Amino acid sequence: MYTLLFVDDHPLYREGVRRALSDAMPGLRILLADRNASAQTVLAAEPEIDLCLSDFQLPDGDGLALLGQVARQHPTVARGLLCGAPDAAMARQAQMLGCVACLSKDRDIASLGDALRTLFEGGSVYDVAPAPALGTTSLSDKRKEILRLAAKGLSNKEISGLLGISERTVKDHWSYIFEQMGVSNRTEAVSQALRERLL
């Protein structure tokens, strides 16, 4: 029996997926969470989770930030995105994080079930091909904005206030900016972003 943790903040969609997958895959155990924080609670309480699938947009940070935390704290759990409009840059970020999937919500349940079987068997499924690595960094618009504000000398607290997100979420974004750019601090990240004309 495999165990899936599905993280999505839309209760009707979340429950609909759970019911449909339960019918389509009777042996599958499905756990649900509505945000990063509740997903972390479930992961801490349930050591047998095989796969964590998350929406990209969550109330307390994006899905890639969550999946990065899962990679660090629960390295045996496979990870992937299931979101409304995956694109090549998003798929590339998922790939760089070691995710096994970047799936579209446009899939019907039969197709989603097929993808899950592939994932549980150790494969990977990307509905959108990751953008090629061309020697430049691919960052989301939110992360570019954080870099722009940092280049102006703003603190994490000031950035969080301007962007309407928590200071912890800003720090999570920095973790992935550092990872994606191969740097270790804000100064290096801003300098590289300026060199690569990301700002």
Side-chain angles (χ1 to χ4, degrees), residues 37-81:
S38 57
Q40 295 290 358
T41 299
V42 174
L43 284 157
E46 298 280 350
E48 302 302 317
I49 293 171
D50 298 289
L51 172 65
C52 176
L53 271 186
S54 176
D55 192 6
F56 180 73
Q57 293 183 331
L58 298 173
D60 54 351
D62 69 48
L64 286 170
L66 166 62
L67 297 176
Q69 291 173 345
V70 175
R72 292 190 297 274
Q73 297 169 9
H74 308 277
T76 62
V77 178
R79 306 167 311 284
L81 287 173

Side-chain angles (χ1 to χ4, degrees), residues 22-199:
S22 294
D23 291 340
M25 303 176 68
L28 179 63
R29 181 169 173 247
I30 303 171
L31 306 173
L32 301 175
D34 64 350
R35 62 191 62 218
N36 187 321
S38 57
Q40 295 290 358
T41 299
V42 174
L43 284 157
E46 298 280 350
E48 302 302 317
I49 293 171
D50 298 289
L51 172 65
C52 176
L53 271 186
S54 176
D55 192 6
F56 180 73
Q57 293 183 331
L58 298 173
D60 54 351
D62 69 48
L64 286 170
L66 166 62
L67 297 176
Q69 291 173 345
V70 175
R72 292 190 297 274
Q73 297 169 9
H74 308 277
T76 62
V77 178
R79 306 167 311 284
L81 287 173
L82 175 61
C83 50
D87 57 31
M90 188 185 298
R92 174 68 179 160
Q93 291 177 56
Q95 185 182 58
M96 290 174 68
L97 286 174
C99 294
V100 297
C102 185
L103 305 176
S104 170
K105 287 183 177 180
D106 288 340
R107 280 179 175 260
D108 59 27
I109 288 298
S111 174
L112 180 57
D114 289 342
L116 290 179
R117 291 182 189 93
T118 298
L119 299 177
F120 287 133
E121 290 169 3
S124 61
V125 182
Y126 277 74
D127 287 343
V128 176
L134 298 174
T136 57
T137 306
S138 175
L139 293 173
S140 68
D141 289 342
K142 178 67 66 68
R143 290 172 185 161
K144 287 180 183 177
E145 186 62 22
I146 287 172
L147 277 167
R148 285 189 198 98
L149 295 172
K152 294 178 180 178
L154 275 67
S155 67
N156 285 348
K157 185 174 183 179
E158 291 169 326
I159 292 171
S160 71
L162 282 172
L163 298 183
I165 57 178
S166 71
E167 192 172 350
R168 176 58 188 268
T169 299
V170 173
K171 291 177 181 177
D172 287 341
H173 280 301
W174 276 120
S175 295
Y176 290 100
I177 290 170
F178 295 165
E179 186 172 333
Q180 288 169 281
M181 300 184 77
V183 299
S184 57
N185 59 56
R186 287 166 51 124
T187 301
E188 290 177 6
V190 169
S191 296
Q192 184 168 319
L194 290 169
R195 284 196 304 272
E196 293 184 8
R197 299 181 179 178
L198 295 174
L199 306 182

